[in-house]
Amino acid sequence: MLPAILGGTPIRSNPLPYAKQYIDDNDCRAVSEVLKSDFLTTGPMAKKFEEVIADYVGAKYAVAFANGTAALHGACFAAGIQPGDEVITTPITFAASSNCVLYLGGTPVFADINKDNFNINIDDIAKKITKKTKAIIPVDYTGQAVDIDALKNLVKGTEIVIIEDSAHALGTKYKEKRVGGLVDMTEFSFHPVKTITTGEGGIITTNNKEYYTKLTNFRSHFITRDVNQLENKDGGGWYYEQLDLGFNYRITDFQCALGISQMKKLDWFISRRKEIVNIYNEAFTNLDGVILQKNEGFSDTVNHLYVLKLDLPKLKADRKEIFQALIAENIGVHVHYIPVYWHPYYQKLGYEKGLCPNAEDLYNCMLSVPLFPAMSNDDIRDVINGFYKIISYYRK
């Protein structure tokens, strides 16, 4: 069939986005009730949301933030990142995973990814560790857990902090245990396209009380009324102190009410995402011209993204042409992500292309395929048919 971009008929009559939030009447009622209550900003619903998340992932503590970037910033502060420190992370991620290091004057160091599962390569992390290494920020890319035990063994006997960026991975299990309570700190994002949403929002989970206290203070100007933290123990009931330089990274109660309501649907969100992924896997395994992301046996993955790698030597078009052809079919593909150090800002900092060959190779031929729970079976069929149409046309 002739591609729509060349004058053919599109697979779909209306565009299908690569992702979309799912909001129902229960979510709207939950938010509305808080809007009519006495608390709008961080209050009882925020505390309840933190408890719900901590209980779900099996962590002792959780601290909610205005967004996932703020949460990562807080985690880096709690870990003690400062000028002169190095923090190792992956380049195949949203820029926040390394920007959070720059905010505190630290230096991001990029380790390459595995060719098959697209997660950060543990052996390359080992090569990048120096006396300056303060932390590692692995990313559970697409929702697949990194090899947590291998990471923990790598830093055993050191003071290197592991901050797991699980923005994609709420609900994912590593060796039968949910990510969120397995390393020093774990971050989740609640952006609209993530597994659950609070509109904007993020959270850090931890089992470390010292980190918990620092995170709680950091998100609210580092101002406290806790008598156990005050230098002046004789202040009145009105008294508070700023103990360090913090930020206003508080989340609202109505956002957290939405999050709590969303958590009640999480099992269905997970089930539907896995169902769609299984259909995709079965269909795309047989499509010559694309390569599937490997899912490791230790990860019971809840996919936030479904990424295909184009087998470009078999195609007579590059990724840009394939991307544009699929968009013309009204299939909302996307690309996640441009290697962080390719961005102009990082180039100005002195990072150069060529640092992570596997990551750069993946970027040049990857596409994110539509994946969200509200997709109908017809939507899924359209995506599969669209890929078969375009890849078949452009195959050598």
Side-chain angles (χ1 to χ4, degrees):
M1 292 189 291
L2 189 67
I5 199 169
L6 299 177
T9 302
I11 287 288
R12 291 174 58 89
S13 59
N14 60 304
L16 178 71
Y18 89 89
K20 184 181 180 181
Q21 70 273 13
Y22 182 93
I23 302 293
D24 63 15
D25 290 343
N26 291 327
D27 295 325
C28 295
R29 279 193 292 270
V31 172
S32 179
E33 288 174 5
V34 171
L35 292 175
K36 297 174 184 177
S37 74
D38 294 333
F39 292 89
L40 291 185
T41 192
T42 307
M45 296 305 289
K47 182 65 175 176
K48 182 178 179 181
F49 182 54
E50 290 170 342
E51 292 171 351
V52 168
I53 295 293
D55 181 67
Y56 179 79
V57 303
K60 290 182 180 179
Y61 309 104
V63 182
F65 284 79
N67 52 66
T69 303
L72 284 170
H73 188 185
C76 284
F77 176 87
I81 306 301
Q82 56 188 344
D85 291 336
E86 295 178 348
V87 178
I88 301 171
T89 190
T90 172
I92 297 298
T93 183
F94 186 61
S97 303
S98 58
N99 285 351
C100 59
V101 179
L102 295 175
Y103 297 154
L104 292 162
T107 301
V109 175
F110 295 100
D112 210 349
I113 63 168
N114 298 311
K115 288 184 177 182
D116 51 3
N117 66 24
F118 312 156
N119 263 334
I120 194 167
N121 182 282
I122 306 298
D123 290 337
D124 202 38
I125 292 176
K127 295 176 183 177
K128 303 292 174 66
I129 291 176
T130 71
K131 293 180 179 179
K132 295 181 180 180
T133 304
K134 184 74 173 184
I136 300 171
I137 303 179
V139 175
D140 297 325
Y141 178 64
T142 71
Q144 181 172 192
V146 296
D147 192 342
I148 294 173
D149 284 348
L151 268 174
K152 291 168 77 170
N153 287 333
L154 181 63
V155 303
K156 189 175 182 179
T158 75
E159 295 183 354
I160 296 174
V161 179
I162 299 176
I163 303 169
E164 188 176 2
D165 183 343
S166 296
H168 295 183
L170 183 65
T172 289
K173 293 179 181 178
Y174 174 79
K175 296 183 178 180
E176 306 303 321
K177 294 183 179 179
R178 291 193 181 109
V179 299
L182 305 179
V183 297
D184 297 299
M185 288 177 275
T186 304
E187 177 264 344
F188 296 100
S189 169
F190 308 121
H191 181 272
V193 299
K194 297 302 195 300
T195 310
I196 70 162
T197 187
T198 57
E200 285 281 3
I203 205 164
I204 298 293
T205 57
T206 183
N207 294 314
N208 185 306
K209 188 173 183 180
E210 181 181 351
Y211 289 154
Y212 169 72
T213 301
K214 287 182 178 180
L215 290 161
T216 303
N217 288 338
F218 183 79
R219 73 168 173 194
S220 191
H221 301 283
F222 231 97
I223 288 174
T224 184
R225 299 176 185 272
D226 185 348
V227 68
N228 294 314
Q229 298 181 50
L230 298 176
E231 292 189 11
N232 179 6
K233 307 294 185 183
D234 299 324
W238 52 269
Y239 188 72
Y240 58 88
E241 292 177 349
Q242 181 181 335
L243 305 178
D244 206 325
L245 184 61
F247 292 78
N248 182 355
Y249 280 162
R250 295 187 294 264
I251 194 169
T252 65
D253 256 29
F254 52 86
Q255 286 176 284
C256 290
L258 174 57
I260 293 167
S261 180
Q262 289 266 298
M263 284 295 289
K264 296 175 183 177
K265 292 182 279 289
L266 181 56
D267 285 347
W268 176 72
F269 289 159
I270 290 173
S271 175
R272 182 56 175 163
R273 283 180 178 273
K274 287 187 173 185
E275 184 178 6
I276 296 169
V277 166
N278 287 337
I279 295 171
Y280 279 163
N281 285 344
E282 184 175 353
F284 292 133
T285 295
N286 299 315
L287 179 57
D288 191 27
V290 302
I291 300 169
L292 277 63
Q293 178 187 17
K294 179 184 178 183
N295 193 83
E296 302 291 351
F298 55 68
S299 179
D300 180 359
T301 302
V302 178
N303 281 76
H304 157 56
L305 298 173
Y306 188 91
V307 172
L308 288 174
K309 184 175 180 179
L310 299 174
D311 196 351
L312 291 178
K314 294 182 178 180
L315 304 175
K316 55 186 178 184
D318 61 17
R319 193 267 307 278
K320 183 178 179 180
E321 292 176 272
I322 300 295
F323 177 93
Q324 292 173 333
L326 286 163
I327 293 295
E329 301 293 337
N330 285 318
I331 305 300
V333 289
H334 212 305
V335 175
H336 297 92
Y337 297 90
I338 301 169
V340 174
Y341 59 80
W342 278 25
H343 290 298
Y345 180 75
Y346 279 80
Q347 295 283 294
K348 292 174 185 177
L349 292 177
Y351 294 88
E352 297 180 352
K353 293 183 178 181
L355 283 176
C356 300
N358 292 344
E360 295 179 20
D361 174 68
L362 176 64
Y363 167 65
N364 285 323
C365 54
M366 65 158 68
L367 287 173
S368 297
V369 180
L371 174 62
F372 54 97
M375 288 179 69
S376 68
N377 289 338
D378 286 342
D379 292 333
I380 300 168
R381 180 204 63 210
D382 288 343
V383 172
I384 294 169
N385 289 342
F387 264 86
Y388 268 80
K389 176 182 179 181
I390 296 305
I391 296 300
S392 297
Y393 182 85
Y394 286 102
R395 191 182 297 120
K396 289 180 179 177

